[in-house]
Amino acid sequence: MSDRLSSIITRTGDDGSTGLGDGSRVAKDSARIQALGDVDELNSVIGVLLAESPPQPMAEWLAEIQHDLFDLGSELAVPGYIAISDGHVQALEALVSFMNEELGPLQEFILPGGLRSAALAHQARSVCRRAERAVVALAREEELSQALRRYLNRLSDFLFVLARYLNREQGVPDVLWRAGRTR
C-alpha cells in the first residue's frame, strides 16, 4: 500500500471532480459518488458499532461485513468491476436465519434502542437503507450487478435482526412502539 497513496493531498479534486478506479473522472456530486459515499458512511457506522465490542461471533460477522462493504465500494469505484457475488448475499441470509431462530416472532413494531450497540445497529440499518436508495438511483443510469443491490437489501435486514439479537443476548427487551398513545 505504501506506493499506492504516496500523497493524500493531490489537489486534483479542487475542481469538484474525483477520480474513479478506472482512471476516469466524475463530478463529486454524481450518483456514483453519492452511492460510494453512503456505502463508506455505512462502513464507518459499523466501525463505531464494532468499537462497542459486541460479543463473538457478532464482532466477527461485522468485521467480515466491513470487508464486504469495502469490496462493494470497489464495484462502485471501478465501473464494470464485480466483487460482490450471490455467495455474499447467501451468507447474510444464513446469519439472519441463525439469529431469527433465537428470537421470538416480532409481533409489534420496535423502536431503535435498548443497548447502545443495538441502537448503533439500527443507525447502521438506516444508513444502509440510504446507501441502497443511492445504489438504486445509480442503477437507473448505469449497469450495476444484481448481487450488489441484493447485498445491501439483505444487509439492512441483517442489521435490524442484529439489533434485536444484541438486546436479547444481554437480556434487554425490544423497545416497543406504543400505538394510539395520548399525551
Side-chain angles (χ1 to χ4, degrees):
M1 182 77 179
S2 63
D3 291 353
R4 279 182 130 173
L5 295 175
S6 57
S7 177
I8 299 302
I9 299 173
T10 63
R11 295 179 178 83
T12 59
D14 290 351
D15 65 353
S17 69
T18 191
L20 296 178
D22 65 357
S24 64
R25 296 198 66 79
V26 296
K28 288 185 177 184
D29 62 352
S30 72
R32 183 171 292 276
I33 299 306
Q34 180 65 51
L36 189 55
D38 288 345
V39 168
D40 185 36
E41 182 182 354
L42 171 58
N43 209 338
S44 296
V45 173
I46 290 174
V48 174
L49 173 54
L50 275 166
E52 290 294 309
S53 300
Q56 293 296 345
M58 290 168 267
E60 280 180 40
W61 301 341
L62 291 166
E64 191 64 29
I65 287 167
Q66 281 196 300
H67 286 279
D68 290 349
L69 288 172
F70 207 85
D71 291 338
L72 193 149
S74 70
E75 265 195 56
L76 295 171
V78 182
Y81 177 67
I82 302 293
I84 297 297
S85 69
D86 287 332
H88 292 92
V89 176
Q90 292 163 357
L92 284 176
E93 290 173 350
L95 291 174
V96 169
S97 292
F98 171 79
M99 289 185 291
N100 264 333
E101 287 178 14
E102 303 289 320
L103 297 169
L106 189 59
Q107 299 175 348
E108 303 285 336
F109 288 108
I110 65 170
L111 300 176
L115 294 171
R116 178 175 166 78
S117 59
L120 287 168
H122 279 292
Q123 182 182 18
R125 173 192 51 78
S126 64
V127 173
C128 186
R129 294 272 189 199
R130 180 167 17 99
E132 182 183 10
R133 290 189 302 271
V135 164
V136 166
L138 175 60
R140 280 196 214 103
E141 299 175 12
E142 301 183 37
E143 186 70 28
L144 293 179
S145 78
Q146 289 290 327
L148 183 151
R149 289 183 267 177
R150 282 194 298 270
Y151 184 87
L152 287 173
N153 188 277
R154 294 311 180 284
L155 182 55
S156 65
D157 296 338
F158 167 84
L159 291 165
F160 176 80
V161 175
L162 178 67
R164 295 189 67 219
Y165 194 75
L166 284 163
N167 278 336
R168 190 197 67 82
E169 287 292 294
Q170 296 297 313
V172 175
D174 289 324
V175 179
L176 302 179
W177 174 60
R178 296 184 324 254
R181 68 197 184 290
T182 59
R183 292 186 185 239

